[in-house]
Amino acid sequence: MSELPPLIEDLALILIVAGIVTLLFKRLKQPLVLGYIVAGFLVSPHMPYTTSVVDMENVHLWADIGVMFLLFSLGLDFSFKKILKMGASPIISTITIIFCMSMLGVCVGHAFGWSRMDCIFLGGMLAMSSTTIIYKAFDDLGLQQQQFAGIVMSVLILEDILAIVMMVMLSAIASGNNPDGGQMLGSIVKIGFFLILWLVVGISAIPLFLRSVRKLINAEVLLVVSLGLCCAMAVLSTKVGFSSAFGAFIMGSILAETVEAERIEKLVEPVKNLFGAIFFVSVGMLVDPEILVNYALPIFALVMTILIGQSTLGSLSFMLGGESLKSAMRCGFSMAQIGEFSFIIASLGLSLGVISDFLYPVVVAVSVITTFLTPYMIRFATPAYNALEHRLPSRLIRLLNQFSTSHPDSNEHSKWKSLLTQMTVNTVVYSILSSATITLMLVFFHPFITGMLGDHWYTRVITGLLTISLTAPFLRAMVMKKNHSEEWKALWAESNRNRLPLMFTVILRFGIAMSFLFVVCKQLTQFGSALLIVVAMVIVVLIMLSRNIKRRSIMLERLFINNLRSRDIEAQVHGKKRPLYEGKLLDRDIHIADFDVPANSMWMGQTLKQLNLGRKYGVHVSSILRGNNRLNIPDGDYIIFPCDRLQVIGSDEQLGQLRTALTKEVLGEDPELEKREMKLRQMIIGPESPFVGKTLEESGIRSQYSCMVVGLEEGKENLSPFHPARQFQEGDIIWIVGEQEALDTLLNS
């Protein structure tokens, strides 16, 4: 008999041990991530008392796939529109936290005399709080519906995005011996270029593709297509110098804007869970007890750095973002741990060979300790605030809270600022699209057509005309867009002093468009620069005057916008999108939270008037999401159904009381559930049967024996219905359904 490959044996060992350990951790109400890490430690070569994994190289390969699918799933749950709607507050808090914690990490590393790369990567690891662990802690402590929890989750989303950018930056730093400011700036520009290019092209093309084949796609095909797109983008990302994880995240964020996003997310989740488990198990395999003993002091120092740094600097960062002192402290204390992205950054450092071997197990140990302490830090925030409130002057407390409430609103722009911002965004986006198109045509298409037809003047003309035709819609939009906007018209009419700057914006964009055409002509012809400038100017004027190019430009823009809004439109059609007033802050403590009615809730079947939630808990139900329908401003006659999602307005305290009641007021489990399974049996009416001559009602089969007659067997293909007025006769063959005990009593009667 042939033997199994080591990979299958290792996979069996990993999954069995991970399954047992995670069941134990689930029983102890601990995060499953910790269970996977412990399982990895148990099957690692560093554990001499248990069976160890044989082929570590293949396990790490699977772990790399796990990272890719983890970030693909993260992208599916992310939307760039969410970031735009958050405003400046979470962005300010996130950037401040990442900067402060990164600097702390670098300083601690230098204090222990670690290498430069170890310090830089350590700073990145310490800056990343764990979304998974914090979400789990909020859920266990019943804090998900509280206002500060939503603020923390917004910052965590932004941290995850910046972590992707940080990974690319760290890769760029690791690739150079002594990266300077210019190299760093080049890396940032490269990230921005490809990020915008892939998003714009992806959102324009992929939803269109999915719509065209929607009738052919079932769950299986959609899963294969989604993972295929994920892997394709991962490969493309590595080809241009980024990590595969970066490409997977970008593809996930593109698919997040499609109508199929929720289906894809559910289909991909089991794949993500499997490979994600292998990744976290591989993290545990790198834990070496000897290293932990030798580096006990750095581990303790890093734990204290995270706890103190996040609780102080994190709280200050949230205050800079506009939160009150109490809310900021609750947010800052909640983020005092590191998790999955720290492992991913550490894996990146190891794969690039730029960090020391001891750093990975040290970071894992720090993550395990801070994870266990997370619930206690969250609980400690309020007592810490109360103690601080007693010691600080009341005037200072009021000043801090007034500072937070008066934080400037990022949505209030002047007309000039709004117009210039929109023009800049358009110019950057269309410049990137034009650059990518010109590069593809000159680098790939021109050599291809030259190889086929030879290097002649007409091959250059063909390449030039096709390049200009493809870039024309982008160049026209760059020059003409926003020239007739409301801001432009208002500024033009307000003052003559505005007209010259407005005309300058047109001239500047005209010059940028000319530069692209100048590059194309310069690469394909031998004419002088002066003549090429004139040619480029004429071509831009013709593009601006062409109605055909105008239609193409508008069509492409509408296609992008419709694809970007397709998920919102679908949500509005099915009643899933929240009303505009929802999510708006009413005052410092009153906000909207979602509550799912359990399937076994004692509230089901009752009306809102009967539940009287307003009088009991002081809350207001603003809407009910039921299936694909939304019921806004429900009155007292609305009935609650199982699995309804209630959107409720109230304070943290009121919403906490409602959550407790909703969780506790449920029907208990039936201890004899299996015994009460319904059985179908055949029954023959004998001569001694007490039912002979009786009707169905007189027999008491339903009332006395709790059984039901479902049909009469008369030798036909199907059972005949048993009429209630018909009397049972000797020899009747009837079919009855009921619980086993009731059937036994009936058949023995």
Side-chain angles (χ1 to χ4, degrees):
M1 180 181 290
S2 60
E3 294 184 358
L4 283 174
L7 176 62
I8 304 299
E9 295 180 0
D10 290 341
L11 185 60
L13 177 63
I14 288 172
L15 295 181
I16 289 173
V17 175
I20 295 172
V21 175
T22 50
L23 284 173
L24 176 62
F25 272 66
K26 191 75 173 176
R27 182 68 178 270
L28 297 175
K29 296 184 178 180
Q30 295 298 325
L32 295 184
V33 173
L34 290 181
Y36 293 137
I37 294 173
V38 172
F41 174 69
L42 293 176
V43 300
S44 70
H46 303 297
M47 189 67 177
Y49 307 107
T50 57
T51 306
S52 301
V53 167
V54 177
D55 193 347
M56 289 285 290
E57 185 177 346
N58 275 329
V59 172
H60 289 313
L61 176 62
W62 284 46
D64 291 339
I65 299 174
V67 172
M68 190 171 68
F69 287 149
L70 277 172
L71 292 178
F72 178 61
S73 298
L74 177 65
L76 284 171
D77 196 39
F78 168 79
S79 171
F80 282 94
K81 290 182 293 184
K82 292 180 183 178
I83 300 298
L84 297 176
K85 292 177 182 178
M86 285 179 185
S89 294
I91 297 175
I92 293 171
S93 301
T94 305
I95 294 175
T96 308
I97 289 172
I98 290 179
F99 176 78
C100 292
M101 294 305 298
S102 297
M103 291 300 102
L104 276 180
V106 171
C107 292
V108 172
H110 277 300
F112 285 106
W114 295 345
S115 69
R116 180 170 173 269
M117 280 299 173
D118 285 341
C119 294
I120 293 175
F121 272 80
L122 178 64
M125 297 174 210
L126 263 58
M128 295 294 114
S129 297
S130 172
T131 306
T132 304
I133 293 168
I134 294 175
Y135 184 85
K136 178 69 168 60
F138 284 161
D139 188 37
D140 292 342
L141 297 174
L143 301 175
Q144 278 182 311
Q145 286 80 22
Q146 297 207 7
Q147 183 182 354
F148 86 96
I151 298 167
V152 171
M153 296 310 295
S154 298
V155 169
L156 289 172
I157 290 173
L158 289 169
E159 273 198 356
D160 292 343
I161 303 310
L162 292 179
I164 303 294
V165 179
M166 183 182 293
M167 289 171 61
V168 178
M169 294 298 300
L170 290 173
S171 299
I173 293 173
S175 63
N177 295 326
N178 292 298
D180 54 15
Q183 194 172 357
M184 294 288 291
L185 181 61
S187 299
I188 294 173
V189 172
K190 184 179 179 182
I191 293 170
F193 179 87
F194 283 102
L195 183 64
I196 294 173
L197 176 64
W198 288 339
L199 286 175
V200 172
V201 175
I203 292 174
S204 299
I206 291 177
L208 188 65
F209 163 72
L210 292 177
R211 279 199 299 270
S212 64
V213 297
R214 185 171 294 165
K215 294 181 180 179
L216 306 175
I217 289 183
N218 56 16
E220 180 181 357
V221 175
L222 185 59
L223 174 63
V224 173
V225 169
S226 303
L227 295 182
L229 290 171
C230 168
C231 295
M233 183 58 87
V235 172
L236 179 60
S237 178
T238 56
K239 294 294 184 183
V240 298
F242 300 140
S243 66
S244 59
F246 181 68
F249 173 81
I250 294 300
M251 180 51 66
S253 61
I254 292 171
L255 291 174
E257 305 300 343
T258 65
V259 175
E260 291 81 5
E262 292 184 6
R263 286 182 63 199
I264 295 173
E265 194 172 354
K266 292 177 181 177
L267 291 171
V268 170
E269 187 174 6
V271 181
K272 176 204 73 173
N273 291 340
L274 172 62
F275 286 98
I278 296 174
F279 166 69
F280 289 116
V281 169
S282 71
V283 170
M285 290 181 188
L286 295 175
V287 177
D288 187 346
E290 185 176 346
I291 291 179
L292 300 185
V293 173
N294 294 336
Y295 288 86
L297 180 59
I299 290 172
F300 175 78
L302 290 173
V303 169
M304 297 308 297
T305 300
I306 293 169
L307 297 180
I308 298 173
Q310 286 285 14
S311 58
T312 54
L313 297 176
S315 299
L316 289 173
S317 300
F318 279 101
M319 288 188 65
L320 289 175
E323 295 304 309
S324 64
L325 178 59
K326 182 177 182 179
S327 177
M329 289 184 67
R330 298 184 77 184
C331 293
F333 278 64
S334 300
M335 299 185 68
Q337 80 294 115
I338 58 175
E340 56 273 10
F341 259 114
S342 301
F343 305 148
I344 295 172
I345 292 174
S347 299
L348 175 66
L350 280 181
S351 64
L352 295 173
V354 295
I355 65 172
S356 304
D357 292 337
F358 71 85
L359 193 57
Y360 202 124
V362 165
V363 168
V364 172
V366 171
S367 174
V368 171
I369 296 171
T370 54
T371 297
F372 277 118
L373 294 176
T374 295
Y376 302 101
M377 289 295 293
I378 295 174
R379 291 193 187 102
F380 183 64
T382 301
Y385 168 77
N386 294 334
L388 189 63
E389 189 179 28
H390 289 308
R391 286 168 173 77
L392 290 178
S394 57
R395 183 177 179 182
L396 180 59
I397 297 289
R398 287 196 302 271
L399 182 64
L400 291 173
N401 288 333
Q402 287 172 0
F403 169 77
S404 65
T405 55
S406 62
H407 194 74
D409 186 352
S410 62
N411 291 323
E412 295 179 0
H413 299 292
S414 65
K415 293 174 185 175
W416 265 115
K417 188 174 182 180
S418 175
L419 180 63
L420 292 177
T421 300
Q422 294 175 47
M423 285 183 174
T424 302
V425 171
N426 287 330
T427 302
V428 170
V429 171
Y430 288 119
S431 295
I432 289 173
L433 292 174
S434 300
S435 300
T437 304
I438 292 171
T439 302
L440 288 173
M441 294 299 294
L442 296 181
V443 174
F444 296 103
F445 178 78
H446 184 59
F448 171 75
I449 194 172
T450 301
M452 290 181 60
L453 304 178
D455 189 7
H456 303 291
W457 66 269
Y458 53 84
T459 57
R460 298 185 180 188
V461 170
I462 293 172
T463 302
L465 291 176
L466 284 176
T467 304
I468 293 171
S469 176
L470 292 174
T471 56
F474 308 140
L475 298 178
R476 186 193 185 283
M478 184 192 305
V479 178
M480 300 297 293
K481 193 168 174 57
K482 298 300 175 183
N483 291 351
H484 301 286
S485 63
E486 295 298 324
E487 295 89 348
W488 176 286
K489 293 177 181 177
L491 289 169
W492 186 274
E494 280 177 5
S495 172
N496 291 333
R497 291 179 299 177
N498 292 334
R499 296 184 178 183
L500 185 59
L502 289 172
M503 292 302 299
F504 177 75
T505 62
V506 178
I507 295 171
L508 178 62
R509 288 176 286 150
F510 186 93
I512 295 173
M514 279 179 52
S515 65
F516 286 108
L517 295 177
F518 177 82
V519 169
V520 174
C521 296
K522 189 71 175 176
Q523 292 293 322
L524 298 174
T525 66
Q526 302 296 326
F527 298 123
S529 297
L531 178 61
L532 294 180
I533 291 174
V534 174
V535 171
M537 185 183 301
V538 171
I539 295 174
V540 173
V541 171
L542 293 175
I543 289 173
M544 293 169 59
L545 296 175
S546 172
R547 295 196 175 190
N548 182 40
I549 294 175
K550 179 180 179 180
R551 284 196 298 270
R552 286 169 55 199
S553 177
I554 294 173
M555 181 188 69
L556 290 173
E557 184 174 351
R558 284 179 179 173
L559 174 66
F560 175 80
I561 293 174
N562 289 336
N563 288 344
L564 189 64
R565 296 183 61 242
S566 60
R567 193 172 179 184
D568 287 342
I569 294 171
E570 190 263 349
Q572 290 174 348
V573 170
H574 292 94
K576 296 179 182 178
K577 190 171 178 64
R578 293 186 176 196
L580 293 177
Y581 70 87
E582 294 201 23
K584 300 293 184 181
L585 189 64
L586 303 180
D587 63 34
R588 296 302 300 176
D589 196 34
I590 298 179
H591 58 284
I592 291 179
D594 292 350
F595 294 87
D596 291 321
V597 178
N600 59 340
S601 175
M602 297 174 64
W603 294 9
M604 58 184 178
Q606 298 189 56
T607 63
L608 290 175
K609 185 186 298 182
Q610 292 171 329
L611 291 172
N612 202 8
L613 302 180
R615 177 163 296 185
K616 288 181 181 178
Y617 310 108
V619 299
H620 303 276
V621 179
S622 63
S623 60
I624 301 174
L625 182 61
R626 180 174 299 157
N628 289 331
N629 295 307
R630 177 179 291 278
L631 311 172
N632 289 328
I633 318 297
D635 57 30
D637 295 328
Y638 273 80
I639 299 173
I640 299 298
F641 287 86
C643 302
D644 276 352
R645 172 165 291 182
L646 309 181
Q647 291 186 335
V648 186
I649 302 175
S651 65
D652 284 344
E653 182 180 357
Q654 293 166 342
L655 296 173
Q657 293 174 353
L658 177 66
R659 183 185 187 279
T660 301
L662 189 60
T663 305
K664 290 184 177 180
E665 296 180 17
V666 294
L667 301 173
E669 294 185 6
D670 189 348
E672 298 183 347
L673 182 65
E674 294 181 358
K675 294 182 180 179
R676 300 191 59 193
E677 183 182 0
M678 300 297 284
K679 306 287 186 180
L680 182 64
R681 293 287 184 269
Q682 185 187 66
M683 179 179 176
I684 301 175
I685 304 296
E688 305 297 330
S689 174
F691 305 131
V692 175
K694 294 183 179 179
T695 63
L696 191 59
E697 183 178 358
E698 294 170 345
S699 68
I701 291 177
R702 179 187 287 268
S703 58
Q704 296 179 24
Y705 297 97
S706 300
C707 295
M708 182 174 65
V709 177
V710 296
L712 177 67
E713 188 173 321
E714 296 181 316
K716 302 177 182 178
E717 184 177 351
N718 298 319
L719 293 178
S720 302
F722 196 97
H723 196 276
R726 183 186 184 282
Q727 295 180 341
F728 287 103
Q729 301 175 11
E730 181 182 345
D732 280 349
I733 302 175
I734 60 174
W735 286 84
I736 53 177
V737 66
E739 297 177 17
Q740 185 64 53
E741 186 176 346
L743 290 172
D744 292 341
T745 304
L746 177 62
L747 294 173
N748 294 329
S749 61

